[in-house]
């Protein structure tokens, strides 16, 4: 099933760059699978909606019909083959138009486009995967080092979307060479040591801790490997120091070489999101005349070229290599480390399916990750089609299955379920989506807006109380507090009560919900509740919630059909049952 050449990610940086564009073309698998009903079609609409809740930014009527017609496998193959919907070209046009008209620009232009893609892009699985990857390979506009780089940050997200189904090694290389990651984690213009300086260790640390292997050695099912009952660290400070030498010499892709100017370049948007170049021995001598322009550290452990660089796992990188060779060797070593399959697989399972996957679930996915020629497309397919994803145990007391639905995913699910109409582009080509701001303050999360490199919430977060007491993980609960509960509720009100088609004086800065499937049954509370159950809870609404919603609608005797409709949506958005994804 591999959709990319094994050559991608196996060679040096030049090959990595060339492979970045090697993505499958759009194709339609409907007729490939014939006209007969799909053998693996969902049993019913509720089962289809549950799958699409995991795999997309929310089910739509069109997606439900498509999945039912194709079946799971063909639907996944179709999504895996879709070309990526990109943001940077649109954001660049909007930014240029605003600048030409003497209008201010900000990260808002990037964020509006991101919300549009989440709500309307056809390559939903790719977009969801990019969203998940952005929470592992974190960069953030909260950092002053990249806050003003609006278009390049959109380009970074596009890179994640392009690589969403690529081999992991390809993704790791593209992340490492991207200038927004370089600026965010200090590898950009990081230099070989001077008389009083040493290479910055930031990227060397995080590429291991967060992007590849984690802090302790693990089996394929993610359980720690112990030595005399003690966890074994994957690396130590000495490893970080040696690895930091690898990530030196990076600068803008257009930094001049003749005459050399390491601090030049970055003159266009394209240059600001093109892979960095390195002022290493591929351009300048390591010693003698002109060596002052060579900024990459070619030395080994003892600071000379007589020793190699000893990196993670005791592996070594020869001295006196080009920058590209050093980086390729280091990333090859990391990508081949046995920790990578369980470490990355577990986080992806958490983002798509459940916060507490069983060790067996993690191991099954990790085995797919580790298979020869496998790519991230194979991994996400394994995650979504695993028996633990498709057939969870019945809800019971103490059950740890499922996850808290991210605030953003609750909003996009409502937009998609109720066919929200996007605003027309404004005079600068921008489609307003987020009601005048990024919503990060309200939701505690936003696209590429994490407060730290550790994401909005950590994969190992355990909410104090029953979660921590029972050794259960609850990542999304890390951003839930009394304050965020109120701010999220207020934001949802603005996207329901104040954002529907047919209202008087509708806003122009957010999508407008189509309430017709609800207002058609405005005189029948039970029918309205059934529509809510089908549209947002894929048939899982409890008897208690059904009675509560029905009673609320029955008591709205004097309300208009629209008020009943948006009230039902709004209260559902706030409900624990909608907030919980099973």
């Amino acid at each position: 099933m591999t959709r990319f050449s094994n050559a991608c990610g196996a060679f040096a940086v030049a090959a990595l760059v060339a492979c970045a564009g090697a993505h499958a073309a759009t194709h339609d698998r409907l007729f490939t699978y014939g006209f007969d009903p799909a053998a693996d079609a969902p049993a019913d609409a509720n089962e289809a909606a549950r799958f699409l809740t995991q795999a997309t930014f929310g089910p739509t009527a069109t997606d439900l019909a498509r999945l039912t017609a194709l079946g799971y496998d063909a639907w996944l193959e179709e999504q895996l083959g879709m070309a990526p919907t990109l943001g940077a070209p649109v954001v660049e046009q909007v930014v240029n138009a605003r600048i030409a008209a003497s209008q201010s620009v900000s990260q808002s232009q990037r964020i509006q486009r991101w919300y549009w893609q989440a709500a309307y892009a056809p390559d939903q699985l790719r977009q969801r995967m990019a969203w998940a990857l952005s929470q592992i390979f974190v960069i953030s506009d909260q950092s002053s080092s990249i806050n003003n780089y609006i278009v390049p940050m959109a380009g970074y997200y596009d890179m994640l979307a392009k690589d969403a189904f690529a081999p992991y090694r390809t993704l790791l290389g593209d992340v490492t060479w991207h200038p927004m990651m370089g600026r965010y984690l200090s590898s950009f213009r990081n230099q070989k040591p001077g008389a009083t300086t040493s290479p910055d260790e930031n990227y060397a640390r995080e590429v291991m801790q967060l992007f590849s292997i984690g802090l302790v050695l693990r089996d394929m099912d993610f359980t720690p490997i112990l030595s005399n009952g003690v966890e074994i660290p994957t690396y130590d400070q000495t490893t970080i120091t040696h690895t930091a030498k690898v990530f030196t010499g990076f600068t803008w892709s257009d930094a001049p070489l003749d005459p050399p100017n390491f601090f030049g370049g970055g003159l266009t948007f394209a240059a600001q999101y093109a892979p960095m170049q390195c002022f290493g021995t591929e351009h300048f001598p390591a010693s003698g005349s002109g060596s002052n322009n060579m900024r990459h550290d070619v030395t080994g452990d003892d600071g000379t070229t007589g020793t190699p660089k000893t990196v993670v796992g005791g592996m070594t990188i020869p001295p006196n290599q080009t920058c590209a060779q050093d980086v390729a060797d280091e990333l090859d070593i990391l990508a081949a480390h046995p920790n990578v399959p369980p470490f990355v697989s577990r986080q992806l399972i958490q983002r798509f399916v459940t916060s507490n996957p069983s060790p067996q679930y993690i191991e099954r996915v990790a085995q797919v990750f580790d298979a020869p020629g496998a790519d991230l497309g194979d991994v996400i397919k394994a995650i979504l089609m695993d028996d633990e994803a498709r057939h969870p145990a019945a809800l019971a007391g103490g059950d740890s299955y499922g996850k808290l639905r991210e605030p953003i995913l609750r909003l996009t699910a409502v937009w998609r379920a109720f066919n929200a109409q996007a605003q027309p582009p404004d005079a600068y080509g921008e489609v307003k989506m987020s009601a005048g701001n990024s919503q990060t303050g309200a939701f505690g999360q936003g696209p590429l807006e994490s407060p730290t490199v550790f994401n909005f919430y950590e994969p190992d977060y355990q909410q104090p109380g029953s979660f921590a007491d029972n050794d259960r993980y609850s990542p999304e609960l890390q951003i839930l507090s009394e304050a965020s509960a109120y701010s999220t509720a207020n934001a949802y009100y603005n996207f329901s009560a104040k954002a529907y088609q047919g209202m008087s004086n509708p806003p122009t800065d957010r999508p407008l919900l189509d309430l017709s499937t609800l207002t058609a049954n405005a005189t029948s509370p039970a029918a309205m509740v059934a529509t809510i159950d089908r549209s947002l809870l894929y048939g899982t609404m409890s008897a208690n919630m059904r009675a509560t919603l029905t009673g609320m609608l029955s008591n709205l005797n004097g309300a208009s059909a629209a008020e009943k409709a948006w009230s039902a949506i709004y209260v559902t958005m706030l409900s624990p049952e909608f907030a919980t994804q099973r």
Side-chain angles (χ1 to χ4, degrees):
M1 191 197 77
T2 302
R3 288 160 295 282
F4 296 87
S5 167
N6 291 338
C8 291
F11 301 134
V13 173
L16 285 174
V17 175
C19 289
H23 302 280
T26 304
H27 59 287
D28 188 329
R29 299 296 295 271
L30 178 58
F31 301 114
T32 300
Y33 284 75
F35 293 94
D36 295 329
D40 64 341
D44 53 37
N46 290 335
E47 187 176 296
R50 179 177 176 273
F51 173 84
L52 291 170
T53 296
Q54 295 172 338
T56 72
F57 279 95
T60 67
T62 300
D63 287 339
L64 288 167
R66 187 70 171 169
L67 175 60
T68 301
L70 292 178
Y72 291 120
D73 187 73
W75 185 90
L76 284 166
E77 287 294 330
E78 181 176 70
Q79 286 286 313
L80 291 171
M82 279 191 181
T85 301
L86 303 180
V90 176
V91 175
E92 182 170 349
Q93 291 175 9
V94 171
V95 166
N96 285 337
R98 291 184 65 86
I99 291 174
S102 300
Q103 298 294 305
S104 63
V105 295
S106 70
Q107 291 288 340
S108 176
Q109 278 71 58
R110 175 184 63 80
I111 291 164
Q112 304 304 325
R113 175 62 184 182
W114 184 91
Y115 274 107
W116 186 94
Q117 289 176 208
Y120 302 113
D123 53 322
Q124 280 287 298
L125 182 61
R126 184 184 293 276
Q127 296 298 322
R128 269 299 303 273
M129 187 66 156
W131 174 234
L133 293 174
S134 76
Q135 297 186 48
I136 299 173
F137 300 90
V138 172
I139 68 169
S140 174
D141 66 9
Q142 302 303 294
S143 169
S144 60
S145 63
I146 58 175
N147 180 260
N148 292 326
Y149 289 90
I150 303 160
V151 177
M153 285 192 67
Y156 180 86
Y157 197 89
D158 284 352
M159 177 269 294
L160 296 180
K162 292 175 182 177
D163 285 354
F165 308 136
Y168 166 80
R169 172 63 178 81
T170 299
L171 171 64
L172 187 63
D174 289 345
V175 165
T176 299
W177 286 96
H178 201 286
M180 293 301 99
M181 177 58 77
R183 291 187 65 88
Y184 183 62
L185 289 184
S186 314
S187 62
F188 177 78
R189 290 177 179 162
N190 189 21
Q191 300 185 59
K192 64 184 180 182
T196 59
T197 62
S198 299
D200 187 284
E201 298 177 350
N202 206 12
Y203 191 72
R205 180 181 296 105
E206 307 307 352
V207 74
M208 293 189 289
Q209 179 179 349
L210 300 178
F211 303 166
S212 59
I213 64 175
L215 295 174
V216 300
L217 292 179
R218 297 186 180 276
D219 278 323
M220 287 292 275
D221 66 359
F222 197 71
T223 57
I225 298 173
L226 305 179
S227 176
N228 297 319
V230 178
E231 294 179 347
I232 305 170
T234 48
Y235 58 88
D236 57 17
Q237 178 56 45
T238 300
T239 305
I240 296 172
T241 300
H242 296 163
T243 305
K245 296 170 179 276
V246 172
F247 302 113
T248 53
F250 299 127
T251 186
W252 295 120
S253 61
D254 62 339
L257 295 173
D258 186 21
N261 183 359
F262 184 67
F263 297 97
L267 302 180
T268 65
F269 288 138
Q272 290 169 5
Y273 59 73
M276 294 180 287
Q277 69 168 322
C278 189
F279 273 39
T281 54
E282 49 262 77
H283 295 305
F284 306 104
S287 61
S289 177
S291 61
N292 59 310
N293 293 309
M294 207 282 291
R295 306 301 177 99
H296 177 65
D297 193 339
V298 298
T299 67
D301 296 346
D302 64 0
T304 74
T305 57
T307 58
K309 299 176 176 70
T310 304
V311 294
V312 69
M315 303 292 286
T316 59
I317 298 174
N320 252 335
Q321 294 194 133
T322 65
C323 179
Q325 288 172 321
D326 275 356
V327 174
D329 285 352
E330 171 64 22
L331 298 185
D332 286 345
I333 290 168
L334 287 177
H337 194 285
N339 261 36
V340 170
F343 184 76
V344 177
S345 296
R346 184 238 188 177
Q347 290 190 69
L348 290 175
I349 294 170
Q350 287 184 315
R351 298 277 57 79
F352 284 89
V353 178
T354 178
S355 299
N356 292 279
S358 69
Q360 295 79 13
Y361 187 7
I362 296 173
E363 184 169 12
R364 288 191 295 270
V365 175
Q367 293 287 0
V368 172
F369 192 115
D370 200 39
D375 55 35
L376 292 171
D378 299 291
V379 172
I380 188 55
K381 190 170 183 178
I383 288 171
L384 293 172
M385 292 310 298
D386 190 88
D387 189 65
E388 196 164 321
R390 301 276 48 83
H391 304 107
L395 181 65
D399 181 16
S400 63
Y401 183 83
K403 63 192 289 288
L404 187 69
R405 201 188 303 224
E406 298 168 60
I408 282 178
L409 295 186
R410 280 184 262 171
L411 175 60
T412 59
V414 168
W415 279 345
R416 290 173 60 78
F418 290 97
N419 196 27
Q421 177 184 5
Q423 299 292 335
D426 66 12
Y428 313 105
E430 183 175 6
V431 178
K432 301 293 180 61
M433 295 287 294
S434 65
N437 55 68
S438 73
Q439 296 301 330
T440 299
F443 294 152
Q445 63 173 171
L448 302 185
E449 296 199 286
S450 170
T452 73
V453 72
F454 296 100
N455 193 28
F456 320 107
Y457 32 73
E458 299 181 28
D460 294 333
Y461 176 74
Q462 296 179 315
Q463 178 82 350
S466 60
F467 283 97
D469 293 345
N470 291 282
D471 196 28
R472 294 291 183 260
Y473 301 103
S474 51
E476 294 86 354
L477 281 171
Q478 193 168 6
I479 58 173
L480 179 63
S481 64
E482 291 182 2
S484 67
Y486 280 107
S487 63
T488 299
N490 289 339
Y492 290 158
Y493 184 81
N494 289 332
F495 288 110
S496 55
K498 297 184 177 181
Y500 60 88
Q501 297 172 39
M503 66 185 300
S504 59
N505 300 314
T508 59
D509 59 0
R510 69 203 76 171
L512 303 179
L513 302 179
D514 178 357
L515 303 180
S516 60
T517 58
L518 291 167
T519 56
N521 294 306
T523 58
S524 174
M528 294 184 77
V529 172
T531 299
I532 290 289
D533 185 20
R534 181 174 61 253
S535 301
L536 296 179
L537 296 173
Y538 45 82
T540 63
M541 187 182 293
S542 68
N544 183 62
M545 182 173 176
R546 186 180 301 276
T548 299
L549 278 180
T550 302
M552 179 194 76
L553 293 170
S554 298
N555 289 331
L556 291 175
N557 293 325
S560 67
E563 184 176 357
K564 292 179 182 179
W566 68 251
S567 295
I569 293 172
Y570 176 58
V571 172
T572 300
M573 293 179 81
L574 303 182
S575 70
E577 293 185 26
F578 182 60
T580 304
Q581 175 188 308
R582 281 184 55 84

